Amino acid sequence: MHAPRVLVFDSGVGSLSIGAAIHQLIPQANLLYAMDHGGFPYGEWQEEELVTHICQAVTAVLQRHAADILVMACNSASTAVLPALRSILSIPVIGVVPAIKPAAQRSVSGVIGLLATPGTVARAYTAQLINDFASHCCVIPVGSRILAPAIESLFWHDSNIDEVLQQIKAALSEHPRAAEMDTVVLACTHFPLMQKPLSELLPNLQWIDSGEAIARRVAHVINELNLPLDSAGEHGLQEVLILGKEEATPILKRRLEDSRLCLIDY
Ligand code: DGL
């Protein structure tokens, strides 16, 4: 029996925030990060085209690199594509969707920011989550088209992101009830990568993302599938695939190496 391999799929470096949470909880698991740089940004795609694109891309990856579990490590994708993926794949599919429920439970003021891509903010799935778990709250949606690309560009090219973070601060402060906001859901997997600078800019907020909950879910599914994890405490492989025509820049390669991630050929 082999140690489980988990495919952590995103349009880009958002896979790193989810993968880090999984690695932290289950270091023995093998992680294959797929970054669909050619399809980035998913947050700008129309829902139907996105579903078709992701089903094709995931199927192609799995044909070349088998995995036991798929984590769709992208809110913009998961809020649209989970039923389609589950209908075509034989492995368990774990989706990453906005952490509205824990945010509603932890907020004291009942005013919550929802920081996401334009796609995630607009999805019926997100409206349903708000309706189901936060109908007693005031949810302030901020659908940013600049933050995920700025984070992608920071990881690929070391681009400066300060101005973009200032714009996010301004966008989160615009709503008439913004002063009451005590909690922000980071509903794009790129955004937890910037939680530190965001919390320095907006120090009185609690920031909630889905990473730890997803890691617990992966551990549960590994257990359900009876996959072996007790390989003498050894760390699993952490490999990265880049989808699309562009090759990783030296800057991205260095960042991956610094996190002990190894780039492999598609
Ligand atoms: N990481 C993706 C998410 O969680 C967003 C980035 C994109 O727009 O592709 O929504």
Side-chain angles (χ1 to χ4, degrees):
M1 286 280 269
H2 62 289
R5 189 190 219 187
V6 182
L7 173 58
V8 185
F9 192 102
D10 178 47
S11 56
V13 299
S15 55
L16 298 176
S17 72
I18 296 294
I22 300 171
H23 183 69
Q24 168 101 17
L25 185 69
I26 324 162
Q28 312 95 307
N30 296 311
L31 301 186
L32 175 60
Y33 298 75
M35 302 180 177
D36 182 12
H37 191 68
F40 181 87
Y42 284 173
E44 298 284 352
W45 284 64
Q46 289 305 311
E47 207 165 322
E48 225 172 280
E49 285 88 18
L50 185 63
V51 170
T52 308
H53 171 77
I54 291 177
C55 286
Q56 283 169 353
V58 168
T59 308
V61 170
L62 286 170
Q63 272 164 1
R64 295 175 190 211
H65 306 273
D68 302 288
I69 297 169
L70 167 66
V71 175
M72 183 42 64
C74 176
N75 295 259
S76 311
S78 291
T79 48
V81 76
L82 295 179
L85 278 175
R86 289 186 175 127
S87 73
I88 58 167
L89 298 178
S90 56
I91 57 172
V93 177
I94 297 172
V96 176
V97 298
I100 303 233
K101 185 179 176 185
Q105 286 166 343
R106 282 186 234 167
S107 171
V108 175
S109 68
V111 181
I112 298 167
L114 173 66
L115 186 57
T117 64
T120 298
V121 161
R123 299 256 193 274
Y125 192 110
T126 305
Q128 191 65 47
L129 280 178
I130 294 172
N131 197 43
D132 289 348
F133 302 114
S135 56
H136 58 292
C137 296
C138 166
V139 177
I140 302 176
V142 173
S144 171
R145 22 178 57 95
I146 54 173
L147 186 52
I151 295 170
E152 198 69 16
S153 187
L154 170 70
F155 274 70
W156 279 68
H157 307 290
D158 262 346
S159 312
N160 190 295
I161 196 170
D162 296 351
E163 176 59 30
V164 170
L165 295 177
Q166 289 293 347
Q167 289 181 37
I168 296 300
K169 178 179 177 180
L172 279 168
S173 312
E174 263 169 24
H175 192 275
R177 295 192 63 189
E180 295 168 67
M181 185 164 66
D182 63 358
T183 305
V184 178
V185 181
L186 294 172
C188 165
T189 54
H190 281 63
F191 300 171
L193 301 169
M194 288 297 111
Q195 187 180 325
K196 191 164 178 283
L198 280 170
S199 56
E200 281 163 8
L201 278 178
L202 292 152
N204 297 322
L205 298 171
Q206 54 177 338
W207 304 84
I208 297 193
D209 66 71
S210 308
E212 282 176 28
I214 295 301
R216 286 195 299 275
R217 182 77 197 133
V218 172
H220 180 80
V221 173
I222 286 175
N223 195 34
E224 266 183 353
L225 295 175
N226 273 322
L227 294 168
L229 267 182
D230 51 350
S231 52
E234 272 176 36
H235 280 202
L237 289 173
Q238 293 203 81
E239 297 172 313
V240 180
L241 278 179
I242 305 219
L243 279 57
K245 293 202 176 82
E246 265 183 82
E247 270 195 33
T249 58
I251 288 164
L252 178 63
K253 283 184 185 161
R254 198 200 59 227
R255 282 182 182 271
L256 297 176
E257 276 163 24
D258 288 350
S259 304
R260 297 173 183 248
L261 301 174
C262 159
L263 202 56
I264 61 167
D265 288 335
Y266 178 46

